[in-house]
Amino acid sequence: MSDQPRISDLARAQPPDYLSGLNPEQREAVEAVEGPVLVLAGAGTGKTRVLTTRLAHILATGRARPWELLAVTFTNKAAREMRERIAAIVGPASEGLRWVGTFHAVAAQILRRHAELVGLKPSYTIIDVDDQERLIKQLLEAENIDSKRWTARHFAGLVDHWKNRGWAPDKLPKAEGAHFANNRGQKLYAMYQERLRVLNACDFGDLLLHNITILSSHPDVLADYHQRFRYILVDEYQDSNVAQYLWLRLLAQGRQNLCCVGDDDQSIYGWRGAEVDNILRFERDFPGAKVIRLERNYRSTAHILAAASGLIAANRDRLGKTLWTEAEGGAKVKVRGVWDGEAESRLVADEIERWIKGKRRYRECAILVRASFQMRAFEERFVMLQIPYQVIGGPRFFERAEIRDAHAYLRLVQSEDDDLAFERIVNVPKRGIGETSVQKLLGLARAGGVSASVAARELVLTDELAPRTRTALSAFLRDMDRWRAMSAATPHPRLLETILEESGYTDALRLDKGPTSQTRLDNLKELVQSMGAFDSLQAYLEHVSLVMDLDRASGEDSVQIMTLHSAKGLEFPLVFLPGWEEGVFPSQRSMDEKGEKGLEEERRLAYVGITRAREEARISFAANRQVYGRWTSQLPSRFVDELPAANVEAASETGYYGGGPGMREANSRWDDANSTFGAGYASPGWRRAQERNYRGGPAGVSQVIEGEGRLVAVSEPSASGAFTPGERVFHVKFGYGRITQIEGNKLTVAFDKAGVKKVIDSFVEKA
Ligand code: ATP
Ligand code: MG
């Protein structure tokens, strides 16, 4: 016991005023330490602060020792911050907080102690997604399942889904297993689990699943944890999934000292199995739970808060809450339309430079994107201007596996001697050139002092390799030669596109039903389109090496770039929200896959985005994006329309538009565009619609109209009711057509050229 801090020490370490900085409701939530408590409150109301203070309070009042507290957060970063905040209150005593971490980290610790109960050894390994896929692939092959049709990644996704719902193979509902390989899902799942056990390994999903199995089938073990964990605390509770809920419920059953904080409006992981229903379940499973609501927001100014609240009000599926702030005044949320993605990155970079000139820091600025492909333009701009930046929660754009693969192909086309590139892609996508063959080849190259390509050319003339490998390698070399020959006469974006298609790289991604394959395809499209800005392949590759060479700016004062998903719980003085365009945000995929539910989750994501801002929130949308070298015109996100007009304004100080010369510049760019992009876009209708998008138009459209020499964004109620079936309409993307059906603000239109499409009423005008 001697190395453990004594409670009296803890009490002495307590600063007398840690409770005084709280408002009455927060204080109630902190002091109601016994029994179940649910804090349900909007963004920035101090939920995390309450949780941390509560933990400190429990320690400071001697109710528990640090190792008797279980606190789960969503990310390691959040866990680290929680420790720091507690340390600031209770001092070194916080070091004993062994059980503060993510669900996964804590579950892994518990599993180590009881691994044998699920047939593992305490030394078990946690495999990553690559290993998981490899393992599943072997399994599918052994079972003679067509792994092109039923991919390993698809199955891995299913397994993950089942584990998130707390279903071990013997608990899997019958219908679930039917989804895969003609009703063989359940059997394969059981085999996969058995395989993992033999390997003394588990995947991420297993951590919680094994915990649940152990705790629910060994009452003695469970009782031990009831004894141990005197108090349990959970942050971001709205994003917990069923498995996490079951786990918490098991652990909290004993003492019932469970405190969860969350916000249903910020539930953004439905696609990963998070259940907002867990909030409702809480009161049922823990009868007599105290529910505390916090309504005062301490983070954002009044305009930011009102804009976010106005937006989220459009969601039907919510519990509803009030929010207010004393931070009156402040800037309105700025909404800007720009020409394209490049203009958007220019705008953001300019504003960051202005922020720095105003004696502020880079790290106070965050760029929150919906999809990773959006990062590219910002990263390149920042490299060029030497603005330090950091990508949080994922690789930088140019460091992503698919981007590196694409670059490796290009490098090998450019230079046959690039062995690193050769090694990277000789079997990507899989062509049946296994690791042993590659090692043989590289050994040969080293021995002969030649490049891998040269060695390969020799090798395929011999019988050193198995016939199938030899054929595959010859085909690869032939492909490379063909692309090399093409490269002189083909524009480099087109070259890369061809390589990606002909090598089977994109096909492999398309077939693969894994959760990240679409994102990777989007990133590749973005890559292809961005290459057009360089004169030659060589110039492009040089540029890439420059971008890659930039020191990792971690820890330094740098702009923070991340997805909206990873921004949860964080706050920044200046927040940029780019790409608010239909299809990008809300994401088309999410709407296609989950309809209204998907749209509402997107809207919650927008709410999370705006509420990250303390002083300034700046939304932007581009009129055009280039996809595979073709321009497509974009429509502003419906979320732009949904922002309350009183809290929003369009900025003009950037010079991209506004009454002055800027506007003329923008106009002349549009003229250029009309002549460059061909007849389809130059039609009067297109012109009209573009102008309408930017300078005001029929009701229901997000309008940017001129006022006081500036452009002001206004938003009006949707134009529902303004149309009747049978009416002719015009749509920017699809052209002319006739309305066949109307459902709320959605119109079904039979377009003359584009066929039948569902569109939003505010995006069409009467023809
Ligand atoms: P989110 O929903 O985004 O996770 P949250 O509810 O967890 O937000 P916190 O991050 O805990 O909110 O708090 C938001 C900001 O308000 C923080 O900067 C925090 O320090 C501050 N804050 C919270 N409560 C108070 C208070 N009583 N007095 C002063 N500042 C406060
Ligand atoms: Mg929080």
Side-chain angles (χ1 to χ4, degrees), residues 35 51 53 58 61 64 82 108 197 232-233 278 309 327 387 443 457 523 691 701 766-767:
L51 210 68
T53 313
I58 291 169
T61 52
M82 184 166 287
R197 198 189 57 74
I232 302 178
L233 302 93
N278 287 348
S309 303
I387 293 178
R457 283 184 208 287
N523 288 336
E691 284 169 4
V701 178
K766 292 174 197 264

Side-chain angles (χ1 to χ4, degrees), residues 720 725 739-748 758-761:
S720 304
I739 300 176
T740 58
Q741 209 190 335
I742 302 180
E743 282 172 70
N745 65 341
K746 285 188 239 33
L747 311 177
T748 308
K758 231 180 210 169
V759 296
I760 297 292
D761 59 4

Side-chain angles (χ1 to χ4, degrees), residues 166-217:
W167 291 324
D170 58 326
K171 305 249 167 61
L172 191 69
K174 270 220 154 46
E176 287 286 328
H179 292 327
F180 195 81
N182 308 319
N183 211 7
R184 289 156 81 184
Q186 199 269 348
K187 183 173 162 230
L188 288 166
Y189 183 21
M191 289 170 69
Y192 169 66
Q193 289 305 96
E194 179 53 23
R195 192 82 195 103
L196 282 174
R197 198 189 57 74
V198 171
L199 295 171
N200 191 33
C202 64
D203 62 21
F204 273 114
D206 275 339
L207 295 174
L208 276 159
L209 194 68
H210 285 325
N211 266 246
I212 292 170
T213 307
I214 293 168
L215 297 174
S216 53
S217 50

